[in-house]
């Protein structure tokens, strides 16, 4: 005990030296935050119209020395109570016996010694006052034991804000005892640098205790059995350090439902210790402390609403906490890298994980947490990549369960997408599915290979390409050769192309018939007019080039001869390049269409047009055939002859 006293004495010294640093803004906060239970003004209309912080020019000092801020039958508010007018105040208050109408008393700027303050309290205690508020009580000197008479009171709630003890040497218990043993339901001692409070000496009626913004430590209410009716305990902004100690503090508070431990210095190292929380505790605020993952090993079993906002939690360990009743969990402003699962929280309905470090939250969340109605996951540094797609789809599937969508959900990485809402971030299915991408690429390659193979094998494209190249080369060479050479451009009336197997017919029938007749048709055969030193292809091209017409002797043999086909190709090529109608087709024997290879599509097209001369089997018809053929050749015969003679000149 003596050790404790010394300790408190030391703390009081500290409090004394720093009390005047407390600024007005702190008081403002108190008036708003702690006044929920004890509003300053109340329902009185008249009072609402009065300024709380009056100026002296508006309120004149009475001859008693205090300032009246409010004076109605139900409530009285006075300021500037000093040692010189405190006797008068006590005399005034003793008029309001129990049963009178005055309910609310507020005293502000009280500067009296301890004994005078106790006299005020004692008088109020036996009056009709139900709500007693004091604000800014200073100059408390000569603190000594006061025999307080707790009998017969109307008091329901006592609120003290900013009581600053200026006494240096006193017995702490003499001060705390007075308040600890008050048999009322509601008590607030806020912003008073209070370092301790005693356990009530007998069963207490306290249901609500608010010690906001003091210097209370882990020693508070340890082993205290007499707060069995306490339902709400607010210890926000104090100096608690051990979560285990806090839990053991609550262990004997059988009715405790709400505990606010926010803004303390709480830690929990996760050593194998039991945390004996009150079983009745349903709502626990542990926000703004220094708790890490181990906190999940020290939580009240029946908690329904839990805030761990602004701590240092990086992960919710699986299997550590089994909180069957937990409905609301606030993990905002921590260091979570992913969404927690619900394995330990089967009843979870609301989860807040805003402002954590989640780059790509997993999308399995709603599967593992089917009862969650609302997930608040905005303001995380989302990395907009393929992996995030699943999470974005999650929002669509969840049907509006993502709170703050879309505004609170923005890309943080990569840099180029920073600030883009997740809602507007799209990647194609292909870009994100490697398997699909590979299959597609493979299919495209196969298709290309197939196309090339088709062109090569079926349409003989490489050959055509080579030959076309040769054709243009020959033409080019011809253009650049000396002019004398060019005169030989047209030497023949016709070029004949035929299969070697049809050569008897050509030599015995065609050539004699054409060359012998009148007009003397000159024919170019590539074997006969062969120019040594040139390739076969070049010879063929030459022959075609030097002839007005090209005669093709079509037969099944012709179709099967590759060379003939190429000759036809060249002739056709010339036909197109010079736009003259120089092809003459002779059908020596009928060719069944199936016999023509598919790639000879030009031949097929020509055959289909039926613009060929058929070689008649009957002798009688042959005269007409020759006449026809000659006519076809000799359309240009005269002109050709003219040209021929010009050239030979
Ligand atoms: C007295 O104070 C209480 C609590 O602050 C309030 O509810 C009540 O309305 C007040 N009564 C009057 C008459 O101002
Ligand atoms: C309050 O007002 C009544 C009359 O309206 C007056 O008699 C009484 O002295 C006033 N009380 C104080 C403390 O000024
Ligand atoms: C208390 O005293 C301070 C400083 O003298 C003054 O500014 C303030 O208005 C007073 N408060 C009331 C309610 O009288
Ligand atoms: C508290 O009251 C004292 C006088 O009683 C006054 O000098 C001081 O300024 C007041 N402080 C505030 C914050 O109102």
């Amino acid at each position: 005990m003596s050790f404790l006293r010394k300790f408190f004495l030391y703390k009081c010294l500290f409090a004394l030296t720093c009390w005047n640093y407390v600024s007005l803004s702190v008081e403002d906060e108190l008036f708003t935050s702690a006044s929920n239970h004890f509003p300053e003004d109340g329902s009185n209309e008249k009072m609402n119209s009065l300024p709380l912080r009056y100026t002296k020019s508006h309120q004149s000092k009475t001859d008693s020395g205090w300032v009246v801020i409010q004076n109605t039958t139900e409530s009285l508010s006075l300021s500037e109570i000093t040692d010189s007018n405190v006797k008068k105040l006590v005399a005034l208050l003793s008029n309001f016996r129990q049963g009178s109408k005055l309910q609310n008393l507020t005293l502000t700027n009280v500067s009296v010694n301890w004994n005078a303050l106790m006299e005020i309290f004692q008088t109020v205690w036996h009056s009709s006052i139900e709500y007693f508020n004091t604000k800014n009580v200073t100059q408390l000197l000569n603190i000594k034991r006061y025999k307080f008479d707790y009998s017969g009171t109307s008091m329901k709630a006592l609120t003290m804000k900013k009581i600053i003890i200026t006494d240096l040497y006193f017995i702490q218990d003499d001060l705390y005892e007075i308040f600890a043993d008050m048999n009322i339901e509601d008590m607030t001692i806020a912003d008073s640098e209070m370092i301790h409070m005693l356990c009530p000496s007998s069963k207490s009626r306290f249901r609500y205790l608010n010690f906001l913004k003091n210097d209370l430590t882990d020693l508070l209410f340890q082993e205290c059995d007499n707060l069995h009716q306490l339902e709400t305990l607010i210890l926000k902004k104090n100096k608690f350090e051990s979560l285990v100690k806090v839990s053991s503090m609550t262990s004997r508070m059988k009715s405790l439902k709400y505990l606010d431990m926010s803004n303390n210095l709480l830690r929990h190292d996760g050593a194998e210790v039991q945390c004996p929380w009150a079983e009745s505790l349903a709502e626990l605020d542990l926000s703004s402390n220094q708790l890490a993952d181990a906190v999940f090993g020290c939580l009240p079993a029946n908690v329904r609403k839990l805030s761990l906002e602004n701590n240092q939690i990086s992960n919710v360990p699986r299997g550590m906490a089994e909180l069957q009743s937990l409905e609301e969990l606030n993990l905002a402003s921590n260091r979570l890298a992913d969404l927690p699962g619900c394995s330990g929280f089967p009843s979870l309905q609301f989860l807040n994980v805003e402002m954590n470090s989640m780059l790509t939250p997993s999308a399995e969340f709603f599967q593992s947490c089917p009862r969650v109605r609302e997930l608040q996951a905005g303001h995380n540094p989302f990395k907009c990549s393929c992996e995030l797609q699943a999470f974005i789809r999650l929002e669509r599937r969840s049907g509006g369960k993502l709170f703050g969508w879309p505004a609170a959900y923005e890309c943080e990485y990569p840099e180029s997408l920073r600030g883009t809402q997740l809602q507007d971030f799209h990647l194609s299915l292909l870009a994100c599915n490697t398997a699909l991408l590979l299959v597609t690429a493979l299919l495209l390659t196969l298709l290309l290979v197939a196309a090339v193979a088709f062109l090569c094998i079926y349409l003989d494209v490489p050959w055509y390409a080579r030959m076309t190249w040769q054709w243009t080369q020959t033409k080019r060479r011809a253009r650049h050769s000396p002019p004398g050479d060019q005169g030989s451009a047209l030497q023949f009336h016709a070029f004949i192309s035929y299969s070697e197997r049809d050569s008897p017919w050509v030599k015995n029938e065609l050539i004699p018939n054409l060359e012998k007749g009148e007009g003397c048709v000159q024919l170019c055969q590539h074997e006969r007019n062969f120019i040594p030193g040139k390739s076969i292809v070049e010879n063929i091209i030459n022959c075609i080039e030097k002839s007005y017409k090209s005669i093709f002797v079509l037969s099944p043999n012709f179709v099967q001869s590759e060379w003939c086909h190429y000759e036809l190709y060249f002739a056709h090529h010339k036909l197109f390049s010079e736009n003259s109608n120089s092809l003459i087709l002779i059908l020596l024997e009928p060719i069944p269409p199936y016999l023509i290879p598919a790639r000879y599509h030009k031949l097929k097209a020509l055959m289909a047009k039926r613009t060929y001369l058929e070689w008649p089997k009957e002798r009688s018809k042959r005269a007409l055939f020759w006449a026809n053929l000659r006519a076809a050749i000799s359309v240009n015969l005269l002109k050709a002859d003219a040209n021929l003679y010009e050239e030979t000149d």
Side-chain angles (χ1 to χ4, degrees):
M1 201 63 188
S2 65
F3 163 76
L4 276 184
R5 279 205 188 129
K6 266 186 204 144
F7 173 72
F8 295 139
L9 195 65
Y10 169 75
K11 290 284 276 195
C12 272
L13 246 161
F14 178 75
L16 175 72
T17 50
C18 63
W19 75 271
N20 43 2
Y21 292 111
V22 178
S23 67
L24 267 165
S25 63
V26 168
E27 196 189 28
D28 289 345
E29 183 195 351
L30 276 167
F31 282 144
T32 51
S33 64
S35 61
N36 305 346
H37 263 72
F38 308 102
E40 305 303 316
D41 32 34
S43 54
N44 199 318
E45 289 284 356
K46 244 186 283 172
M47 176 146 186
N48 283 341
S49 61
L50 276 166
L52 193 62
R53 287 164 205 278
Y54 70 103
T55 51
K56 293 233 164 102
S57 59
H58 290 133
Q59 300 278 333
S60 57
K61 266 195 183 179
T62 58
D63 30 341
S64 6
W66 58 62
V67 175
V68 180
I69 294 170
Q70 190 192 28
N71 179 9
T72 68
T73 44
E74 281 99 23
S75 80
L76 181 64
S77 178
L78 304 174
S79 174
E80 317 298 314
I81 312 295
T82 58
D83 281 326
S84 62
N85 63 18
V86 72
K87 284 264 176 306
K88 275 186 195 158
L89 178 66
V90 171
L92 172 74
L93 293 176
S94 52
N95 292 330
F96 301 104
R97 307 224 163 267
Q98 279 183 356
S100 70
K101 287 205 169 135
L102 188 68
Q103 286 175 3
N104 292 10
L105 174 67
T106 303
L107 301 177
T108 319
N109 288 359
V110 182
S111 176
V112 295
N113 67 39
W114 171 252
N115 213 58
L117 186 72
M118 284 302 101
E119 266 181 58
I120 297 173
F121 270 68
Q122 188 68 80
T123 313
V124 170
W125 197 261
H126 293 303
S127 74
S128 61
I129 291 161
E130 294 177 4
Y131 300 93
F132 180 29
N133 306 312
T134 64
K135 272 179 280 179
N136 187 16
V137 180
T138 55
Q139 300 302 319
L140 280 178
L141 288 165
N142 301 321
I143 294 177
K144 47 183 186 284
R145 199 170 173 81
Y146 186 91
K147 190 104 188 60
F148 201 89
D149 176 7
Y150 293 103
S151 66
T153 185
S154 310
M155 192 117 92
K156 288 180 179 160
L158 169 65
T159 303
M160 292 179 281
K161 290 170 187 169
K162 244 172 143 31
I163 296 204
I164 306 299
I165 315 279
T166 40
D167 202 349
L168 276 182
Y169 302 100
F170 66 98
I171 298 165
Q172 294 286 313
D173 291 1
D174 292 347
L175 172 66
Y176 300 132
E177 242 172 39
I178 300 292
F179 302 106
D181 286 340
M182 283 183 170
N183 48 345
I184 54 175
E185 289 189 358
D186 255 271
M187 186 165 77
T188 299
I189 303 176
D191 196 13
S192 298
E193 297 169 17
M194 180 169 68
I195 53 170
H196 195 58
M197 177 51 68
L198 291 177
C199 178
S201 57
S202 60
K203 296 284 179 203
S204 170
R205 290 180 58 205
F206 284 134
R207 292 175 65 184
Y208 175 98
L209 282 180
N210 183 350
F211 297 144
L212 172 79
K213 198 166 192 305
N214 282 290
D215 295 329
L216 296 168
T217 65
D218 295 341
L219 300 168
L220 183 77
F221 296 150
Q222 293 293 328
E223 322 257 302
C224 178
D225 286 316
N226 292 334
L227 289 168
H228 62 293
Q229 290 198 34
L230 189 63
E231 291 172 4
T232 302
L233 179 55
I234 295 169
L235 296 171
K236 182 177 177 155
K237 295 193 177 177
N238 276 280
K239 299 214 157 54
F240 289 86
E241 290 176 5
S242 162
L243 190 60
V244 182
K245 281 279 173 60
V246 171
S247 76
S248 72
M249 170 187 79
T250 67
S251 64
R252 296 164 194 231
M253 299 173 176
K254 300 294 176 207
S255 309
L256 190 66
K257 291 190 178 72
Y258 177 90
L259 175 62
D260 184 351
M261 293 301 308
S262 60
N263 294 85
N264 274 281
L265 308 164
L266 288 176
R267 292 168 177 277
H268 182 64
D269 58 9
E272 291 294 307
V273 280
Q274 287 293 308
C275 292
W277 291 99
E279 278 180 20
S280 52
L281 193 55
E283 209 172 313
L284 176 59
D285 192 341
L286 293 173
S287 56
S288 300
N289 278 288
Q290 291 161 23
L291 298 162
D293 302 0
V295 68
F296 288 96
C298 179
L299 289 174
N302 300 319
V303 70
R304 282 194 289 108
K305 193 173 166 188
L306 174 65
S307 176
L308 286 164
E309 188 178 343
N310 193 24
N311 277 283
Q312 285 150 32
I313 297 162
S314 57
N315 178 32
V316 178
R318 275 170 188 274
M320 202 160 177
E322 191 67 32
L323 304 175
Q324 294 291 336
S325 318
L326 188 65
E327 290 169 6
E328 232 178 297
L329 177 58
N330 186 345
L331 288 168
S333 300
N334 274 283
R335 301 167 179 179
L336 292 174
D338 199 358
L339 288 168
C342 285
S343 55
F345 324 122
S347 313
L348 196 66
Q349 293 183 23
F350 298 92
L351 177 64
N352 185 342
V353 286
E354 285 190 330
M355 287 177 275
N356 274 276
S357 313
M358 297 192 291
L359 299 174
T360 48
S362 63
E364 280 91 60
F365 178 74
F366 286 109
Q367 271 109 297
S368 99
C369 306
R371 300 182 118 195
V372 168
R373 297 215 305 257
E374 191 177 289
L375 171 64
Q376 230 170 310
H379 305 294
N380 271 287
F382 294 109
K383 183 177 160 216
C384 287
S385 62
C386 288
E387 295 89 77
L388 200 67
Q389 298 277 91
F391 180 73
I392 298 170
R393 278 197 295 278
L394 179 86
E395 132 66 19
R396 274 176 228 130
R397 282 207 312 266
S398 76
K401 285 182 183 171
L402 272 193
F403 181 87
W405 184 273
Y409 298 78
E410 290 184 349
C411 302
E412 177 77 16
Y413 307 109
E415 205 103 347
S416 57
L417 287 174
R418 185 165 294 172
T420 309
Q421 286 185 359
L422 260 53
Q423 164 179 263
D424 303 326
F425 167 67
H426 302 289
L427 277 180
S428 70
L429 190 64
L430 202 61
C432 288
N433 192 332
T434 357
L436 194 65
L437 184 70
L438 281 179
V439 167
T440 313
L442 202 73
L443 277 180
L444 281 176
T445 316
L446 281 180
L447 214 68
L448 197 72
V449 167
V452 169
F454 173 80
L455 288 175
C456 289
I457 297 166
Y458 199 71
L459 296 180
D460 214 4
V461 167
W463 187 89
Y464 282 115
R466 215 166 55 237
M467 290 306 143
T468 310
W469 166 249
Q470 206 145 14
W471 172 270
T472 45
Q473 286 301 100
T474 312
K475 290 281 261 183
R476 200 175 55 83
R477 234 174 291 151
R479 222 176 300 128
H480 290 283
S481 57
D485 237 29
Q486 220 170 19
S488 63
L490 286 168
Q491 288 176 3
F492 306 101
H493 290 112
F495 156 73
I496 309 173
S497 170
Y498 54 92
S499 160
E500 207 49 51
R501 295 200 196 142
D502 294 329
S503 63
W505 181 81
V506 172
K507 283 178 183 142
N508 301 332
E509 297 276 354
L510 183 70
I511 296 175
N513 264 301
L514 286 181
E515 286 192 334
K516 271 176 207 152
E518 87 268 26
C520 186
V521 176
Q522 293 193 41
L523 299 171
C524 182
Q525 281 170 279
H526 57 84
E527 0 57 281
R528 196 171 63 181
N529 304 80
F530 187 80
I531 303 170
K534 293 198 176 182
S535 71
I536 300 175
V537 177
E538 239 177 307
N539 270 304
I540 294 172
I541 292 173
N542 257 327
C543 241
I544 295 173
E545 281 283 278
K546 287 176 183 168
S547 308
Y548 274 101
K549 297 269 173 178
S550 299
I551 300 170
F552 289 86
V553 182
L554 306 180
S555 69
N557 296 329
F558 180 92
V559 166
Q560 276 147 30
S561 151
E562 296 257 319
W563 276 116
C564 291
H565 174 67
Y566 299 145
E567 283 168 5
L568 182 61
Y569 168 73
F570 286 128
H572 202 249
H573 198 89
K574 184 193 176 196
L575 183 95
F576 276 108
S577 62
E578 288 173 13
N579 204 17
S580 66
N581 189 12
S582 60
L583 278 188
I584 297 168
L585 304 179
I586 297 170
L587 189 64
L588 193 60
E589 280 171 55
I591 308 170
Y594 66 85
L595 219 63
I596 308 174
R599 60 188 151 130
Y600 294 178
H601 47 96
K602 255 171 203 149
L603 180 60
K604 268 191 176 173
L606 286 170
M607 294 285 291
K609 278 193 201 154
R610 296 187 163 271
T611 52
Y612 46 75
L613 296 165
E614 262 178 279
W615 171 248
K617 293 265 178 282
E618 302 90 340
R619 255 170 205 288
S620 53
K621 289 184 185 167
R622 290 187 182 160
L624 188 60
F625 171 82
W626 294 121
N628 256 335
L629 182 57
R630 286 182 138 285
I633 299 168
S634 59
V635 170
N636 288 333
L637 208 55
L638 279 173
K639 199 173 121 221
D641 286 345
N643 278 347
L644 281 176
Y645 296 132
E646 258 170 48
E647 280 155 17
T648 41
D649 277 349

